[in-house]
Amino acid sequence: MASGSMNLYLDTPIAESAAFHLNLEGIGGNWDVANHVGLSPLNADSGSLQSTEGVDVLQIREAKVEARFLDDKLLTYIGKIDPTVYFDKNKVANDEETQFLAYGLAHNQALTDVFGRSYVPGIGVQYSCDDCIEGLTLGAGAFSRDNSGDHIADNLVAILEADYMTDILGNDGNYRIYVYSAGLEGTPDDSMPADYNVYDDDMTLGFGVSADQKISERITLFSRF
C-alpha cells in the first residue's frame, strides 16, 4: 500500500494591506485508512481524492482573503478556511505535512471533529493586545460545519481564544486557551416538507488548551487538552 500527496500554494497581494491565499491539494494511492486507525489516523495526509470514476482531482483546501488594520494589530480573514491555522495552534505540533503525521499529535481531535476534519467557510479576527498586556493576542471566529454550501448558515461554530507568548523561563513559550459553541445536526422536522431540512437546536460546548515551551535549542515541550 502507498499514498502520496501534493500541495500547491498561491499568495498574492490584492490591496495595500490585504492578500489572497489559495491552497490546492491532490492525494492519491491505495492506503486503506480504515484498517490502520486507532483513536486517530496514523497518517493524516494519506488516502485518495479520486472521484468515483477513478479520476485524480485537486481539492481546494483554502481560498481566503486576509487583511490587516490598525498598524497590523488587527487581522481579519474570510473564505474557505482551515480553522486550526488560527485556533488550537502549536509551534511544534500543528502541521501533518511538516511535523507529526499522526492526526492525534497534529491537532486536537475533540475540536477538529466538530468541523468534520475539513476546511470550511468562515470569518474571524485576531487582535494583538501588546499595548495593554505584552504577548497577549485575542481571537474570535465563526465557521460553518457544512462545506457543501447547502446549509451554510446551519450548525455554526463560534470560537474564542486567548494566546499568551512569554519568555518567562528564559526561552519562548506559547500558552493558549479557547472555548467554543457548536450547533449539532439533529433530526429533520417532520412537520415540514421532506425537502426542507430543518435541524434541532442542539448545541455542544467545549474548551481546550494548547501549550509549547522551548527548553533548549533542540528541545520543545508541548501539550494539548
Side-chain angles (χ1 to χ4, degrees):
M1 294 181 295
S3 179
S5 68
M6 178 196 72
N7 287 84
L8 177 65
Y9 298 92
L10 171 66
D11 289 282
T12 181
I14 57 176
E16 184 177 353
S17 60
F20 173 72
H21 173 76
L22 178 67
N23 179 0
L24 302 178
E25 181 180 51
I27 303 178
N30 61 349
W31 177 273
D32 188 356
V33 177
N35 291 329
H36 297 83
V37 295
L39 294 177
S40 73
L42 296 177
N43 188 338
D45 198 37
S46 64
S48 177
L49 291 177
Q50 287 186 342
S51 69
T52 55
E53 291 79 21
V55 178
D56 293 327
V57 297
L58 282 176
Q59 170 185 257
I60 300 177
R61 298 213 309 180
E62 287 190 285
K64 64 184 179 183
V65 173
E66 288 188 341
R68 295 183 178 274
F69 305 96
L70 304 177
D71 296 327
D72 290 343
K73 293 179 182 178
L74 178 65
L75 170 67
T76 63
Y77 53 88
I78 186 172
K80 186 179 182 183
I81 295 166
D82 175 4
T84 62
V85 170
Y86 304 99
F87 300 96
D88 186 48
K89 295 175 292 184
N90 198 287
K91 189 173 182 178
V92 295
N94 207 69
D95 191 331
E96 66 275 13
E97 296 165 3
T98 62
Q99 296 171 332
F100 291 98
L101 279 174
Y103 201 91
L105 293 175
H107 305 292
N108 183 343
Q109 291 186 92
L111 177 64
T112 56
D113 282 356
V114 171
F115 299 106
R117 298 183 182 178
S118 183
Y119 301 83
V120 293
I123 185 172
V125 298
Q126 284 186 339
Y127 182 74
S128 173
C129 303
D130 275 344
D131 291 343
C132 301
I133 302 177
E134 186 176 357
L136 178 65
T137 299
L138 301 178
F143 302 91
S144 172
R145 301 182 69 189
D146 183 2
N147 185 39
S148 70
D150 293 337
H151 302 279
I152 194 171
D154 294 339
N155 305 318
L156 296 178
V157 179
I159 184 169
L160 300 172
E161 180 173 295
D163 301 355
Y164 183 62
M165 181 174 64
T166 177
D167 60 356
I168 191 172
L169 298 180
N171 290 292
D172 292 342
N174 299 278
Y175 300 85
R176 311 163 187 86
I177 184 169
Y178 56 87
V179 295
Y180 65 87
S181 172
L184 290 176
E185 184 175 304
T187 305
D189 189 342
D190 293 333
S191 65
M192 303 299 291
D195 60 348
Y196 190 82
N197 207 6
V198 178
Y199 299 119
D200 294 337
D201 293 328
D202 297 332
M203 299 291 290
T204 182
L205 301 174
F207 78 94
V209 296
S210 175
D212 55 79
Q213 177 64 57
K214 187 175 182 180
I215 302 301
S216 69
E217 286 300 317
R218 295 189 175 187
I219 299 175
T220 298
L221 303 180
F222 72 92
S223 64
R224 275 192 171 101
F225 176 78

